[in-house]
Amino acid sequence: MRLAVFSTKPYDRHFLDAANVGQNHRLSYFEAKLTAQTAPLAGDADAVCAFVNDVVDADVLALLARGGVKLVALRCAGFNNVDLAAAQALGITVARVPAYSPHAVAEHTVALILALNRKIHRAYNRVREGNFALDGLLGFDLHAKTVGIVGTGRIGEVVARILSGFGCRLLASDPYRSPVCEELGVEYVDRDDLLSASDIVTLHCPLTPDTHHLIGAGTLARAKPGFMLVNTSRGAIIDTRAVIEGLKAGTVGSLGLDVYEEEGDLFFQDLSGAVLRDDVFARLLTFPNVLITGHQGFFTREAMHNIAETTLADVGAFERDGRPLHEVSVERIA
Ligand code: NAI
């Protein structure tokens, strides 16, 4: 099939080319993000491969359909950026990579928790400048602390498994209970009880209308004062402005982010020579107790290999059988 790949970085090309050996799809790589302006680059492609911050709204889908695109293959798990109803109406099938390495994101989550707690980001800079003072670097034992996991799907389960190894007490909120978590001794509680009891809250639910700004002024008022908040899921699950107020008031003790509400204009690009125009993001960068990574939770060799293999397997199945292996159906937004 002819596949137009958007938001391509050299590493995407490397893994997709390797996965295409023996499959012979015709891949065209575009560095540009998919938007209404760049959609015509797809030309006569049968399928489009998109990533987390590509715009796959009704306008873009209409442009792609006009050009003959029949499949949007997302090379990520989340599909919150796709207008599934519009895709269905236009006869475009949507596929995603539901699981590629929950370990990658779970391990990155734990890296953020450990680094924030023991102030590794600050210690690294201090030691390089010959400052070996410990003031301001005081952390706490993770052992016996209470961690609240919001969403115990594939990633949340692995986070629970790792943190149980640290001897944490684990609480969870999820409409569906995970047998793996129950076996680990995770206690399912409602969201308010999780917030009020947890020293650390980590988010692993998808972004849906129900979870949009799930952490906002109201929920923060019910949280344990000084708790650590970690979000490696999707930026808009957190109301960033409310969390900034929480950081200023001390209700949020520390914040670890791998995702950000408005990351589409920032992440995955080298903007080191540009003026930062996002004042909310700029404010986040001023806090010593905030640690941000640029959506790199998924970025391990194993995950990249699996993403490329699964994406092209979906494209192959769609070409052969008219259905990808991992279709996202419109019912999923209900
Ligand atoms: P999953 O679908 O296996 O698990 C999500 C869980 O969240 C499910 O158990 C579901 O029942 C639960 N959930 C849904 N609504 C909820 C709510 N209102 N409250 C509590 N729980 C709720 O998904 P997986 O693979 O664990 O991924 C989780 C999220 O991680 C994805 O949706 C994606 O946004 C994000 N992600 C981030 C990556 C990164 O690089 N930072 C990479 C991959 C995924």
Side-chain angles (χ1 to χ4, degrees):
M1 282 187 99
R2 288 165 300 204
L3 180 66
V5 186
F6 284 86
S7 295
T8 312
K9 302 290 180 196
Y11 45 80
D12 294 306
R13 214 183 160 124
H14 169 81
F15 285 99
L16 283 167
D17 281 345
N20 197 30
V21 171
Q23 299 215 45
N24 301 320
H25 296 298
R26 280 180 32 211
L27 306 185
S28 306
Y29 292 108
F30 301 105
E31 277 180 43
K33 199 167 115 172
L34 177 60
T35 63
Q37 283 71 44
T38 62
L41 289 171
D44 63 353
D46 311 295
V48 153
C49 180
F51 195 46
V52 283
N53 293 325
D54 284 321
V55 179
V56 199
D57 61 12
D59 290 346
V60 169
L61 287 162
L63 288 165
L64 294 176
R66 211 172 299 154
V69 167
K70 302 270 182 307
L71 172 72
V72 171
L74 297 166
R75 54 182 194 281
C76 55
F79 50 87
N80 50 283
N81 54 335
V82 183
D83 187 330
L84 292 176
Q88 189 183 49
L90 291 160
I92 293 182
T93 301
V94 179
R96 66 174 183 139
V97 185
Y100 41 87
S101 171
H103 305 284
V105 185
E107 289 170 13
H108 191 74
T109 303
V110 177
L112 287 176
I113 292 172
L114 291 170
L116 261 181
N117 173 29
R118 305 305 293 267
K119 283 95 177 158
I120 303 297
H121 53 305
R122 302 186 66 197
Y124 172 81
N125 287 324
R126 276 194 198 182
V127 169
R128 285 172 71 90
E129 291 186 5
N131 176 359
F132 304 104
L134 298 184
D135 313 66
L137 301 185
L138 190 66
F140 54 81
D141 286 3
L142 263 183
H143 177 78
K145 290 296 178 297
T146 301
V147 182
I149 303 173
V150 180
T152 51
R154 297 176 188 86
I155 295 170
E157 272 180 2
V158 180
V159 169
R161 194 184 291 285
I162 297 171
L163 291 178
S164 79
F166 279 91
C168 295
R169 175 185 173 220
L170 299 174
L171 303 180
S173 96
D174 192 310
Y176 303 98
R177 290 174 177 229
S178 142
V180 172
C181 286
E182 289 192 308
E183 199 160 306
L184 286 168
V186 174
E187 300 163 52
Y188 280 87
V189 294
D190 73 32
R191 200 184 291 155
D192 280 353
D193 289 340
L194 179 147
L195 282 164
S196 62
S198 296
D199 302 291
I200 299 170
V201 172
T202 181
L203 306 175
H204 302 290
C205 55
L207 174 61
T208 63
D210 182 43
T211 62
H212 183 263
H213 284 188
L214 183 142
I215 303 292
T219 32
L220 289 175
R222 297 192 285 282
K224 188 167 183 174
F227 79 113
M228 179 193 290
L229 176 62
V230 176
N231 186 11
T232 60
S233 192
R234 283 293 180 267
I237 297 173
I238 284 182
D239 176 350
T240 315
R241 285 184 168 80
V243 171
I244 287 174
E245 291 310 312
L247 284 160
K248 281 156 68 179
T251 47
V252 179
S254 55
L255 174 70
L257 297 180
D258 187 48
V259 287
Y260 169 61
E261 277 187 90
E262 306 296 336
E263 69 177 52
D265 293 332
L266 297 171
F267 288 2
F268 308 121
Q269 310 165 68
D270 179 359
L271 300 178
S272 52
V275 172
L276 183 54
R277 295 183 190 282
D278 182 330
D279 290 347
V280 175
F281 192 76
R283 183 68 178 97
L284 281 177
L285 296 178
T286 66
F287 293 99
N289 49 348
V290 172
L291 179 53
I292 306 175
T293 52
H295 207 141
Q296 69 175 81
F298 70 98
F299 200 49
T300 65
R301 271 194 296 277
E302 292 78 2
M304 290 298 288
H305 170 82
N306 293 340
I307 288 169
E309 292 280 336
T310 307
T311 301
L312 293 193
D314 272 326
V315 172
F318 184 76
E319 183 176 35
R320 210 172 40 247
D321 313 323
R323 291 201 75 158
L325 302 171
H326 309 96
E327 183 168 353
V328 187
S329 64
V330 75
E331 290 73 33
R332 295 201 59 121
I333 51 174

